[in-house]
Amino acid sequence: AQSVTQPDIHITVSEGASLELRCNYSYGATPYLFWYVQSPGQGLQLLLKYFSGDTLVQGIKGFEAEFKRSQSSFNLRKPSVHWSDAAEYFCAVGEGNYQLIWGAGTKLIIKP
Amino acid sequence: NAGVTQTPKFRVLKTGQSMTLLCAQDMNHEYMYWYRQDPGMGLRLIHYSVGEGTTAKGEVPDGYNVSRLKKQNFLLGLESAAPSQTSVYFCASSYFRAEAKETQYFGPGTRLLVL
């Protein structure tokens, strides 16, 4: 069965440090891949998405993600985090006209 | 342009009570969705709608009903609330087609507590 795994429930990073959030998926073909962010008290907002082509995808707010087919991964990165990046991040995977499958989320905590 | 709005923001129910959650979008989107979000789990799709007057079941539809009488509104009903329905409910919408590649736009959520 298709699945999405975000291995880290919480991650704590110092402000200004780099960030990598992990996402692994189990899917039959190359799926569509998404990262969404949920700020406290808000709905989810799309950060970036990958369908095909260049495996390094740029998103909003300085985020990027890299699709690695051999590792079935789509990790989210940011070179230098800001306090405003504190939020919960969700990876989602889909294919064709099927509904998205969502990861359980990773909560990012920023240390001053 | 308000995007996707949800009413109410927070509600407490007693077991057996009923309620309706309202979702409204002003982006002229065809597709609308209701999700629930529980701790340690990803979003799970309850029901969705591919257009005015049509609805379909998602992953966890039991105990919920929906209606889409107007294109801009998508209602989620709980006929007899149970403690297992304590959750945060998100509404989302997307453009014309329900392909997985379509970006979904989310409301701010409704926090429901069933005692």
Side-chain angles (χ1 to χ4, degrees), chain B residues 23-55:
Chain B
C23 176
Q25 54 94 4
D26 60 3
M27 296 175 283
N28 202 34
H29 286 173
E30 290 292 337
Y31 285 80
M32 297 186 75
Y33 313 83
W34 275 108
Y35 292 94
R36 60 177 290 172
Q37 182 186 35
D38 300 295
M41 304 184 73
L43 295 177
R44 292 184 292 168
L45 184 65
I46 304 171
H47 286 279
Y48 64 100
S49 168
V50 302
E52 183 177 320
T54 68
T55 63

Side-chain angles (χ1 to χ4, degrees), chain B residues 25 33 45 49 54 66 78 80 92 94 97 109 114:
Chain B
Q25 54 94 4
Y33 313 83
L45 184 65
S49 168
T54 68
V66 288
L78 286 74
S80 179
S94 65
R97 302 175 66 177
V114 182

Side-chain angles (χ1 to χ4, degrees), chain B residues 47-99:
Chain B
H47 286 279
Y48 64 100
S49 168
V50 302
E52 183 177 320
T54 68
T55 63
K57 293 180 180 179
E59 182 186 353
V60 289
D62 294 341
Y64 305 96
N65 57 75
V66 288
S67 65
R68 183 105 179 262
L69 299 179
K70 293 183 179 180
K71 185 177 183 179
Q72 63 267 34
N73 296 337
F74 194 29
L75 278 62
L76 178 71
L78 286 74
E79 290 185 348
S80 179
S84 61
Q85 294 178 304
T86 293
S87 187
V88 180
Y89 291 86
F90 285 101
C91 177
S93 67
S94 65
Y95 280 113
F96 312 107
R97 302 175 66 177
E99 287 189 356

